[in-house]
Amino acid sequence: MQAIPTPKTPKFWQATQWVLDPLGYMNTNFSRFGDMFKAQVPSGSDEPWVLINNPKVLQYILTHDTGKEFTAPGEVNSLLAQVMGWQNLILLSGKQHQHRRRLVMPPFHGERLNVYGQVIRQITLDLLQQWPIDTTLDMRELMQKITMRVILQVVFGMHEGERYLQIEHLLHSRLSITASPITSAIIFLPWLQQDFGSWSPGHRFLEFAAQTDQLLFTEIQERRANLDSDRPDILSLLLAATDEEGKGLTDQDLRDELMALLAAGHDTTATALAWAIYWIHALPEVKEKLMAELDTMTNPQDPAEFLRLPYLAAVCNETLRIHPIAMVTFPRRVKVPLKLGGYTLEPGTLVVGSIHSLHQREDLFPNPKQFCPERFLQNQFSPYEYMPFGGGVRRCVGAALAQYELKIILGTMLTQFSFDLLNRKMVQPGRRGITSGPITPILIQKQGAQSQPKKPLQTV
Ligand code: HEM
């Protein structure tokens, strides 16, 4: 068995490439080394990662990550603790993680999601109506507003009122600090988060954190004082939850979980939506087929109809194939010596799935740089060949919600208005915080005269 290959470039240079150009770093090294290589990149634990893009190896890891051969540790994600604290799904490990997942999962599943269909449609219509005709918007900004309101609804059961507007504004401002590859360095260099004065990024970072916490703690305390077990939102479920000894979650636990869900739950989906609108308008044949399918709907006012459209589903899948917003899975740790993919993995090693590089494999997705929804109509991919939401014990809890949002928001937008893409050059992906996104704005104009709503807007 040979040793896992590793780039010869110094650790500092690999770290710089990882922060500034993570997709380029993975493209170069996978094409040089094959399916696995040891990467010296900055992460929460300062240990190297073995990055993997082989579907069979990923399948083995993600179907054995419950403790014997691999674990799914939370503490190695410590870079995220600055924003969301330690007491949440992403940072918890083992039994505590399992227990928290059981608590948080139900509102994100099947039937329960139907409650949100009309809400998502209405939030989309409200924000679209506020967008004046013939003006241009950065698509990510609009989508971020929509998905923020959706997640506030799912998590708190509300998306209106002064406190919600303040939380929305603060989270938006904080996320915009890490919107570019250079400013994302603040995540990887914790010393930059210190307060060096009002001019420093750390000052803004800490100020937003303190203000957001104050609002979240106030909300938690008010809701604790007025418990309502009939409310279906996540905060109500968490407030009612107790462990085997009858102990409930503390305010700090609740704040950390809410923060994790808010942070993980809206920026990712917003970026995916912006990319979907981009490709639909960049490729006339895609738009034509999609509009023809949307025209077959008998009742576009019913969000459930969007869920039954195969081409719309294929467009959403292809968007997350070509731009998997989470470039990599969370790390898994090897527990016993194992032979996988022609290499020996030693106990203690951190292995990480490169979702980006998996989705760029020519053998799975011919012409991988081409946006081609048809590949999802003509082929079936295994959950380890196509995995925008990861897999195993840490598979994204919001996967069903995100897919639901994508279809309803896109369907609602396209059946109500027409839009023009103003970008004349291809928009490229790059780092956005710990995820990826368009590195230049996707500029969309809501069309004029003929862009009166094609169907009257209905309020629900
Ligand atoms: C397009 C949108 C989204 C993408 C691409 C995405 C992707 C991912 C990925 C790849 C993981 C790691 C899985 C693994 O390591 O195996 C993850 C975890 C997670 N996601 Fe998402 N996600 C999205 C939307 C959401 C939404 C809407 C929520 C809702 C609240 C959410 C909450 C979470 C949480 C809490 C985890 C950690 C789960 C755990 O550690 O047990 N995500 N997501």
Side-chain angles (χ1 to χ4, degrees):
M1 286 280 160
Q2 35 175 331
I4 297 171
T6 183
K8 297 221 167 9
T9 35
K11 189 173 167 181
F12 169 75
W13 182 235
Q14 288 188 56
T16 310
Q17 283 178 296
W18 178 249
V19 173
L20 297 182
D21 181 18
L23 303 178
Y25 174 81
M26 287 192 277
N27 293 342
T28 310
N29 288 306
F30 276 112
S31 58
R32 188 181 299 159
F33 298 122
D35 295 357
M36 279 194 208
F37 71 94
K38 193 186 279 182
Q40 300 278 353
V41 294
S43 71
S45 67
D46 204 30
E47 298 168 75
W49 283 354
V50 172
L51 276 169
I52 299 169
N53 77 351
N54 176 315
K56 291 255 152 26
V57 175
L58 289 172
Q59 175 163 9
Y60 191 86
I61 295 170
L62 295 174
T63 48
H64 294 82
D65 64 348
T66 49
K68 251 196 196 155
E69 289 172 86
F70 296 92
T71 54
E75 64 281 0
V76 292
N77 304 318
S78 65
L79 285 180
L80 298 174
Q82 308 132 16
V83 173
M84 49 182 80
W86 291 91
Q87 297 303 314
N88 57 58
L89 263 183
I90 297 177
L91 277 291
L92 289 172
S93 305
K95 287 246 162 346
Q96 283 184 311
H97 173 250
Q98 258 176 32
H99 182 245
R100 187 63 67 85
R101 258 184 97 93
R102 276 202 296 273
L103 274 182
V104 170
M105 281 300 285
F108 288 110
H109 264 308
E111 286 291 290
R112 292 289 287 274
L113 284 182
N114 293 334
V115 177
Y116 305 123
Q118 280 298 354
V119 175
I120 295 173
R121 178 171 176 274
Q122 194 56 49
I123 290 172
T124 311
L125 289 176
D126 289 348
L127 284 161
L128 277 181
Q129 279 175 308
Q130 287 168 21
W131 176 8
I133 278 171
D134 280 344
T135 55
T136 303
L137 275 192
D138 176 343
M139 236 336 80
R140 257 207 47 81
E141 297 270 320
L142 174 76
M143 296 305 193
Q144 201 174 334
K145 284 204 174 112
I146 299 178
T147 57
M148 173 76 81
R149 288 186 188 185
V150 172
I151 198 72
L152 287 174
Q153 174 77 38
V154 177
V155 169
F156 295 112
M158 280 176 85
H159 62 270
E160 281 163 344
E162 190 53 30
R163 190 174 301 145
Y164 296 94
L165 290 177
Q166 284 176 328
I167 294 177
E168 184 184 317
H169 171 72
L170 284 169
L171 288 177
H172 175 77
S173 310
R174 190 149 93 182
L175 281 165
S176 61
I177 299 180
T178 53
S180 81
I182 292 191
T183 55
S184 296
I186 193 167
I187 297 176
F188 299 94
L189 302 170
W191 61 267
L192 271 180
Q193 291 158 25
Q194 288 173 41
D195 189 348
F196 294 112
S198 56
W199 53 270
S200 65
H203 178 84
R204 284 170 62 210
F205 204 75
L206 294 171
E207 197 174 52
F208 290 136
Q211 289 171 357
T212 318
D213 279 356
Q214 202 195 346
L215 293 167
L216 290 178
F217 281 121
T218 311
E219 177 68 18
I220 291 166
Q221 280 146 16
E222 277 180 19
R223 294 282 290 273
R224 206 188 270 292
N226 302 290
L227 275 186
D228 176 356
S229 54
D230 288 339
R231 289 179 66 148
D233 57 83
I234 294 183
L235 176 54
S236 303
L237 285 176
L238 294 177
L239 278 166
T242 51
D243 61 17
E244 300 86 52
E245 290 151 27
K247 264 198 347 228
L249 297 173
T250 65
D251 285 2
Q252 188 65 44
D253 291 338
L254 290 167
R255 176 267 177 207
D256 289 3
E257 196 58 74
L258 298 180
M259 201 57 212
L261 293 172
L262 292 176
H266 86 289
D267 199 53
T268 42
T269 316
T271 304
L273 280 159
W275 278 125
I277 287 283
Y278 170 77
W279 285 110
I280 292 165
H281 290 85
L283 301 175
E285 65 281 10
V286 171
K287 186 170 175 194
E288 221 169 274
K289 280 189 195 168
L290 185 55
M291 294 313 291
E293 188 183 65
L294 290 168
D295 268 349
T296 64
M297 289 171 63
T298 48
N299 180 13
Q301 268 76 36
D302 175 10
E305 280 219 29
F306 295 124
L307 309 179
R308 294 192 276 270
L309 303 176
Y311 195 70
L312 176 60
V315 167
C316 296
N317 285 339
E318 178 66 347
T319 302
L320 288 174
R321 200 271 313 161
I322 203 163
H323 302 299
I325 316 302
M327 299 172 278
V328 292
T329 64
F330 289 126
R332 307 301 199 262
R333 195 182 288 286
V334 180
K335 295 302 285 178
V336 292
L338 280 165
K339 290 188 175 53
L340 273 183
Y343 297 106
T344 303
L345 293 173
E346 299 298 340
T349 308
L350 286 181
V351 290
V352 174
S354 169
I355 304 176
H356 162 77
S357 305
L358 174 71
H359 288 184
Q360 287 295 312
R361 285 181 71 111
E362 280 273 354
D363 55 347
L364 296 174
F365 305 102
N367 295 323
K369 302 238 171 306
Q370 200 180 323
F371 185 87
C372 176
E374 283 70 16
R375 52 175 112 238
F376 285 92
L377 300 173
Q378 293 154 2
N379 305 288
Q380 289 242 312
F381 299 100
S382 89
Y384 306 97
E385 292 171 342
Y386 173 67
M387 44 176 253
F389 299 103
V393 299
R394 282 196 186 274
R395 185 172 190 274
C396 177
V397 287
L401 174 66
Q403 287 164 304
Y404 194 78
E405 283 184 77
L406 281 172
K407 290 175 195 161
I408 293 177
I409 295 168
L410 290 174
T412 304
M413 285 182 76
L414 296 169
T415 49
Q416 297 296 334
F417 290 99
S418 29
F419 306 95
D420 268 344
L421 175 69
L422 299 192
N423 299 71
R424 290 288 154 251
K425 281 193 187 149
M426 258 188 85
V427 177
Q428 299 296 336
R431 179 175 291 289
R432 179 181 167 80
I434 62 154
T435 61
S436 74
I439 52 174
T440 45
I442 291 171
L443 298 173
I444 295 283
Q445 189 173 62
K446 189 164 126 184
Q447 282 184 355
Q450 75 279 34
S451 74
Q452 293 308 317
K454 288 185 201 151
K455 310 214 163 67
L457 295 183
Q458 294 230 331
T459 43
V460 281

